[in-house]
Amino acid sequence: MPRRGGDTGRGPGRRHRVPARPRRPVKTVHEVVSVTPERGDAGRFVNRFGRPAAVVLVLLCGFTLLLGFINKDRCTGPAFDQWGRTQPDYDERNKQEVCYSDIQHLWIGRDIDRHVFPYVDGGISDQGVLVGGSVEYPVLTGLVIWAGAIFAHNDAEYLLYSSLLMAPFGLLTGWLLGKLARWRALLWAIGPPLILYAFHNWDLPVVLCSVAAVYVVHRWNRPLVERATVASVLLGLGFAFKVYPAAFVLPLMLYVASGGWRGQELPEGKKVDVVGAIRVGLASIVTVVLVNLPFAFAGYDGWLASFEFQQLRRVDITTNSIWYWGLRPFIGDDAMQSLVGVISPITILLSFAIAAGYGWMRFRREGSYPWIAVSGAMLCGFMLLHKVHSPQYTLWLVPFLVLLRVRLLWAYAYFVVDLAMGIGIFRWFWAIEFGQPAGIYDSFSAQAVMIGVWGRAALLVALFVAFLKARDVTEDDHKDPKFLRGAVAAKR
């Protein structure tokens, strides 16, 4: 029998005999048997994306990552000062030539250049400055930041080693998306966001966590609760990288509670699997606690500093959220800071509730809870309403443009406005800092920033709605009722 998802090695018009499967022993009530979709009535293999195709996709992804590194590496060298900072004219070049990266920039200022282990001896000053090895990111990202600097002596080497450390996360993300969505995964593998942001910040590991969670739920041959528990652990690890995947645990719990695809994996005699859903939620909580606890014990002040930094962070020109551009001109800076501190988290939670509620309506109507669609909508709400909207957040969104069957026009449109933002913002910063025309009427970079800010906002609203209504690519597994993915309650 050919491998699942692989090629038969025969021409499309030839038929061949498939050996009969040995019968499985009958399971007792409440046990479940995982059923893998192999082929439909017409002999067509479901989700066919064989090894050669996956290799091609990964190679294309690797080439894009290489371009991304070359783009950022333009900002390094050729000379370095005594602290390992690029000379000459680093501050001007990284904006004018649009090759800025947080990785290179934070070589100085977070004790990364001194190879200080993160958090343990750190803290935050009264002025909100991180000291002693603390960084503004959760602990697993802090470890990646520290690991990339082990052999580095200047910001160029740090960028190189950090890129080498993170590239496998990007490649594996491409491979998993290919297995899930086939050639639609090219949106990730060769899309402009991967060039612009793969090595802008430390976001590739967290993206892999969210994609791997989807892969585990929809591709592993295990009972639903077991698959979802592993996925929840991955989402907990995602929280320890960049927080946002934790939001996806709620829709995953509702997916488990409703029995997966059309309730096929509910325990015998139950209409709702409350125990399974609780188990899934606890898996994520336990993961977050276990990962963070050693750092909290070793250096509580340094560990807490990363959260305090984000809480104290002001909404300013570097955050580029809708709050800065939408409220500040009308109510002033001080009033805006106070208001955003309250309204941003409230509206984010409201968007989560709307997404989860609409998902439940779809479940009542269609029989399956659309956890991927709800997760994608939640991410849109978070990106739109959070007080910070950094350019690299686009990497978080791209997998959902792959996994959800929305029109590709939405992806192309988002890539366009994202390019306007990703390029325009640094050119605009250069114009402001070095005395070039920077007004909205005489600077194309300022106009590009406005296109980016409000174009992204409008598209995130539209994608919030489009995601909630969309089917996901895993529904290909369920085209034939005889080969439903998931578990079947076996009766005596």
Side-chain angles (χ1 to χ4, degrees):
M1 176 176 285
R3 295 181 179 177
R4 176 178 173 270
D7 199 325
T8 64
R10 300 172 180 264
R14 299 178 61 182
R15 305 179 69 88
H16 62 285
R17 185 179 300 276
V18 179
R21 287 173 174 262
R23 293 194 174 187
R24 296 174 181 254
V26 177
K27 302 288 182 179
T28 59
V29 180
H30 301 303
E31 287 188 282
V32 291
V33 180
S34 181
V35 178
T36 304
E38 293 281 353
R39 49 185 286 169
D41 288 338
R44 174 180 177 273
F45 281 84
V46 179
N47 288 313
R48 181 174 177 178
F49 195 78
R51 184 176 298 173
V55 169
V56 170
L57 186 72
V58 170
L59 288 175
L60 290 172
C61 186
F63 180 71
T64 306
L65 289 170
L66 178 61
L67 293 179
F69 171 75
I70 292 173
N71 178 50
K72 298 301 185 183
D73 192 54
R74 293 184 297 115
C75 269
T76 64
F80 305 91
D81 62 19
Q82 64 268 37
W83 297 286
R85 169 63 78 205
T86 284
Q87 297 295 323
D89 303 327
Y90 165 74
D91 288 331
E92 181 174 4
R93 186 168 21 136
N94 64 22
K95 302 176 184 69
Q96 184 179 15
E97 299 182 14
V98 194
C99 53
Y100 171 90
S101 73
D102 288 335
I103 297 174
Q104 181 188 7
H105 186 72
L106 291 179
W107 168 253
I108 302 294
R110 298 291 186 272
D111 290 320
I112 297 170
D113 59 319
R114 300 177 183 178
H115 309 286
V116 175
F117 193 81
Y119 309 109
V120 175
D121 299 310
I124 188 168
S125 70
D126 294 337
Q127 292 74 36
V129 177
L130 293 167
V131 296
S134 286
V135 293
E136 56 264 57
Y137 305 107
V139 294
L140 290 185
T141 294
L143 285 180
V144 173
I145 291 172
W146 171 78
I150 291 176
F151 302 107
H153 302 91
N154 54 58
D155 59 11
E157 292 180 357
Y158 182 52
L159 176 65
L160 172 62
Y161 297 145
S162 297
S163 299
L164 291 173
L165 186 63
M166 289 193 296
F169 293 95
L171 295 172
L172 186 53
T173 298
W175 185 84
L176 294 178
L177 287 173
K179 302 302 287 185
L180 286 163
R182 296 184 281 181
W183 293 112
R184 191 177 177 94
L186 287 173
L187 287 174
W188 169 265
I190 62 174
L194 203 60
I195 296 177
L196 288 176
Y197 311 123
F199 307 118
H200 184 90
N201 198 281
W202 296 269
D203 289 88
L204 293 180
V206 69
V207 174
L208 175 62
C209 287
S210 60
V211 173
V214 175
Y215 183 87
V216 166
V217 171
H218 294 281
R219 287 292 182 270
W220 276 22
N221 277 330
R222 301 295 300 171
L224 173 61
V225 174
E226 291 185 21
R227 303 195 312 268
T229 299
V230 174
S232 184
V233 169
L234 288 167
L235 295 176
L237 293 174
F239 176 91
F241 277 113
K242 282 292 182 80
V243 176
Y244 78 89
F248 307 156
V249 175
L250 174 60
L252 179 59
M253 292 174 63
L254 294 174
Y255 182 75
V256 171
S258 58
W261 173 256
R262 294 184 179 174
Q264 292 292 321
E265 302 188 62
L266 282 171
E268 184 74 14
K270 290 188 177 181
K271 294 183 178 180
V272 180
D273 187 5
V274 176
V275 174
I278 292 175
R279 174 180 167 182
V280 169
L282 287 176
S284 186
I285 294 172
V286 170
T287 301
V288 171
V289 171
L290 290 179
V291 172
N292 282 272
L293 207 56
F295 292 90
F297 274 133
Y300 179 78
D301 291 338
W303 170 79
L304 187 63
S306 64
F307 299 98
E308 292 179 321
F309 180 91
Q310 297 297 342
Q311 183 180 4
L312 295 173
R313 185 172 181 179
R314 293 177 62 83
V315 181
D316 57 28
I317 197 172
T318 66
T319 61
N320 284 305
S321 66
I322 60 171
W323 306 115
Y324 179 80
W325 294 106
L327 290 179
R328 182 174 173 274
F330 301 101
I331 64 175
D333 189 73
D334 291 338
M336 178 200 64
Q337 302 294 340
S338 300
L339 182 60
V340 171
V342 175
I343 196 173
S344 175
I346 290 176
T347 53
I348 288 173
L349 292 176
L350 180 61
S351 73
F352 288 179
I354 292 172
Y358 189 86
W360 194 256
M361 290 173 57
R362 278 189 59 179
F363 161 67
R364 297 293 298 272
R365 184 172 65 246
E366 302 168 11
S368 303
Y369 190 84
W371 85 278
I372 301 176
V374 171
S375 298
M378 284 181 165
L379 180 59
C380 289
F382 179 85
M383 291 173 62
L384 175 68
L385 300 168
H386 194 249
K387 66 179 183 179
V388 178
H389 192 152
S390 297
Q392 73 273 8
Y393 290 1
T394 301
L395 289 177
W396 306 355
L397 185 68
V398 174
F400 288 99
L401 294 171
V402 174
L403 294 170
L404 294 167
R405 294 197 179 282
V406 295
R407 294 183 179 182
L408 291 177
L409 184 62
W410 289 116
Y412 301 151
Y414 200 91
F415 289 172
V416 169
V417 298
D418 182 69
L419 276 170
M421 187 68 190
I423 296 174
I425 188 65
F426 296 107
R427 292 287 299 180
W428 191 46
F429 286 164
W430 170 73
I432 293 172
E433 188 172 348
F434 293 95
Q436 302 298 314
I440 191 67
Y441 296 109
D442 55 6
S443 171
F444 178 74
S445 59
Q447 296 163 11
V449 170
M450 293 300 99
I451 292 171
V453 169
W454 297 113
R456 287 187 316 190
L459 285 170
L460 286 172
V461 172
L463 286 171
F464 181 88
V465 176
F467 282 173
L468 284 178
K469 295 182 177 181
R471 307 290 179 180
D472 65 71
V473 296
T474 68
E475 293 192 11
D476 286 348
D477 295 345
H478 313 288
K479 289 182 177 179
D480 188 336
K482 295 182 180 179
F483 297 97
L484 290 175
R485 161 159 283 285
V488 183
K491 298 183 180 180
R492 292 182 185 275

